[in-house]
Amino acid sequence: MVTEVARRGTSGGVATSAEVLTAACQCFPGQLTVALSYSDDPLGVLLQTDQVHLARAIELAERGRGHTSPNPVVGAVVVKDGQVLGEGWHERLGGLHAEREALAACGNADTRNATIYVSLEPCCHEGRTPPCTDAILEAGIARVVVASDDPTGKASGRGLGILRDEGVEVTVADGEFAARARRINQPFRKHARTGRPWVMFKAAMSMDGKVATRSGDSKWISGEDSRTLVHRWRGHCDAVVVGIGTALADDPMLTARYEGAPRQPRRVVFDAEGRLPLSSALVKTSRDFPLTVVVSRAAPRTATDALEAAGAEIIVATGGNEPARVKSALDQLGGADITSILLEGGPRLAGAFLDAGEIDEMRLFMAPLVVGSAAARDPLEGTGAEQIAQAMRALSLECTQVAGDVLLIARLQEW
């Protein structure tokens, strides 16, 4: 509803801020309460419209999910005299950034003295596209409202400083809007700060917390709707990671199989000794869908040479234990512009990721099943915490129903 009102207004013309505000309040009751602070708004009317347009910019940014990596997802809205002149988002890597898309969408409208709302601070450097600060200044924009910062070394407030120096009023959001804008770009933010990819761990478990029976059987714990959702997550991530145990037991493809998938993720197998069979589905499709095998120094040269000859990329992870080798591998994957990973197990590998402090979010499906065996597999089989006080505590929890399953989303780290 907000989208349609923003585009055409309630009367079929250009939407006014009041129309967009009304639509947003109907769609998101009780959610538009975070204030922005700036000096020239004594009546507070602009505070409400700022929130609506900034919320719209964040909403638009989400449309780029899965298409822009290693760039962030960004949305922008141009408003003048209460009317939305144009909006846009960063649609694909190498394409126009959100600010330029929004300004282009204004057509012949006069953008002088307009306000642009952006979910991420505008870039000021020359990359695959020219700086967005140049486009903002050329359009005569008088005010820029930004939802979140860009933590990369070539940004970090530089673009906002350039705009201020040129006389543009700059407002930076805080509170819930800033948090929301940061959340949609967690992969970009972690990669910018650490050089390593953001990691989402997913598992499907029974009500007693088991991901497989004592014989190793796990098909299928979760329902079809849950498994379809996982395919969408694959399409949104740069890479899907499993351990050699899962690869040998399931012979998976690890592709995103749904209509409209934006791309196929890189498949990554942690395989210390290079045991992945050349006859596996992963290796046989490695020339069609990228495959990386992470080995240790103990892997035989004959095995790694054969995997490379079949089309796989080999990464040698170093370190004295599994968590150290996880960090080594993530450093190398991050160096190849992998910014997000869907970690699908198995339990030992997931435990090593947790012990390394490299699980940023957990998505756990709970099915209405009870396995009831002490020998059945747990989702995480690492060293873990000795004391409850040392256990990792979630920053936030969300719970939703997916057909017959329950999905729990726990955010463990924020960047």
Side-chain angles (χ1 to χ4, degrees):
M1 180 178 178
V2 180
T3 303
E4 289 304 311
V5 171
R7 285 181 173 168
R8 56 179 172 76
T10 56
S11 60
V14 179
T16 66
S17 293
E19 289 172 334
V20 177
L21 176 61
T22 300
C25 289
Q26 291 172 352
C27 290
F28 310 109
Q31 296 182 27
L32 302 177
T33 58
V34 180
L36 307 177
S37 59
Y38 50 93
S39 59
D40 60 350
D41 184 28
L43 299 179
V45 175
L46 290 178
L47 264 101
Q48 292 181 325
T49 56
D50 279 345
Q51 291 178 41
V52 171
H53 298 309
L54 208 53
R56 175 62 178 159
I58 295 171
E59 177 188 348
L60 288 167
E62 290 274 17
R63 297 186 180 185
R65 179 79 59 210
H67 297 273
T68 65
S69 181
N71 283 357
V73 294
V74 188
V77 180
V78 180
V79 179
K80 182 177 180 180
D81 297 331
Q83 294 186 329
V84 176
L85 302 184
E87 58 182 28
W89 66 95
H90 186 30
E91 296 184 14
R92 59 178 178 81
L93 183 66
L96 292 179
H97 286 189
E99 298 91 329
R100 290 181 178 272
E101 288 279 8
L103 289 168
C106 294
N108 295 323
D110 185 1
T111 57
R112 289 173 298 177
N113 297 317
T115 296
I116 188 167
Y117 298 85
V118 193
S119 62
L120 184 77
E121 72 171 90
C123 67
C124 61
H125 59 277
E126 189 83 30
R128 293 181 177 88
T129 59
C132 290
T133 48
D134 289 356
I136 290 170
L137 294 172
E138 290 165 4
I141 298 293
R143 183 165 173 257
V144 176
V145 181
V146 175
S148 71
D149 65 305
D150 179 339
T152 58
K154 53 194 174 186
S156 295
R158 288 182 59 225
L160 301 183
I162 290 171
L163 294 172
R164 287 190 181 103
D165 288 347
E166 295 295 328
V168 177
E169 180 186 346
V170 174
T171 299
V172 180
D174 58 10
E176 177 56 28
F177 277 107
R180 200 186 311 174
R182 288 194 300 268
R183 281 196 295 270
I184 65 173
N185 271 317
Q186 286 297 288
F188 171 74
R189 297 180 69 84
K190 181 182 180 182
H191 187 255
R193 291 183 173 183
T194 70
R196 294 190 294 276
W198 176 84
V199 178
M200 178 214 304
F201 169 58
K202 79 89 185 168
M205 65 179 70
S206 61
M207 289 191 294
D208 53 338
K210 303 301 181 180
V211 297
T213 66
R214 60 187 177 186
S215 67
D217 181 38
S218 62
K219 293 184 178 179
W220 295 105
I221 292 177
S222 59
E224 184 176 350
D225 288 2
S226 297
R227 298 196 300 274
T228 297
L229 189 55
V230 171
H231 280 279
R232 293 191 174 275
W233 296 343
R234 288 178 180 176
H236 290 166
C237 287
D238 294 338
V240 177
V241 171
V242 297
I244 184 59
T246 299
L248 293 175
D250 297 344
D251 194 23
M253 283 279 290
L254 300 181
T255 51
R257 297 187 293 278
Y258 67 95
E259 186 176 353
R263 41 101 186 253
Q264 290 298 330
R266 175 169 291 276
R267 290 93 48 83
V268 180
V269 180
F270 276 67
D271 178 15
E273 298 176 357
R275 294 188 292 144
L276 186 65
L278 299 181
S279 60
S280 66
L282 287 165
V283 175
K284 286 165 65 176
T285 59
S286 61
R287 299 196 186 279
D288 299 316
F289 309 113
L291 171 67
T292 296
V293 180
V294 178
V295 301
S296 71
R297 288 175 173 167
R301 182 65 180 269
T302 53
T304 58
D305 285 350
L307 287 167
E308 281 189 308
E313 177 194 38
I314 300 296
I315 284 180
V316 179
T318 59
N321 52 44
E322 282 194 85
R325 289 190 286 274
V326 164
K327 282 187 175 288
S328 171
L330 292 181
D331 283 336
Q332 295 178 70
L333 290 168
D337 278 343
I338 300 294
T339 67
S340 59
I341 280 175
L342 175 60
L343 173 61
E344 298 199 19
R348 280 190 57 193
L349 181 62
F353 268 74
L354 187 68
D355 289 342
E358 292 295 339
I359 294 182
D360 301 293
E361 184 170 298
M362 298 177 70
R363 298 189 181 184
L364 307 175
F365 293 103
M366 184 174 290
L369 304 171
V370 178
V371 175
S373 171
R377 302 296 299 274
D378 296 319
L380 295 149
E381 296 178 354
T383 301
E386 291 188 11
Q387 304 290 330
I388 290 297
Q390 299 170 338
M392 182 174 286
R393 185 173 295 274
L395 301 176
S396 69
L397 287 173
E398 298 176 30
C399 187
T400 186
Q401 189 159 356
V402 181
D405 301 328
V406 172
L407 172 60
L408 180 68
I409 300 177
R411 187 163 46 88
L412 302 183
Q413 302 188 81
E414 182 171 322
W415 300 95

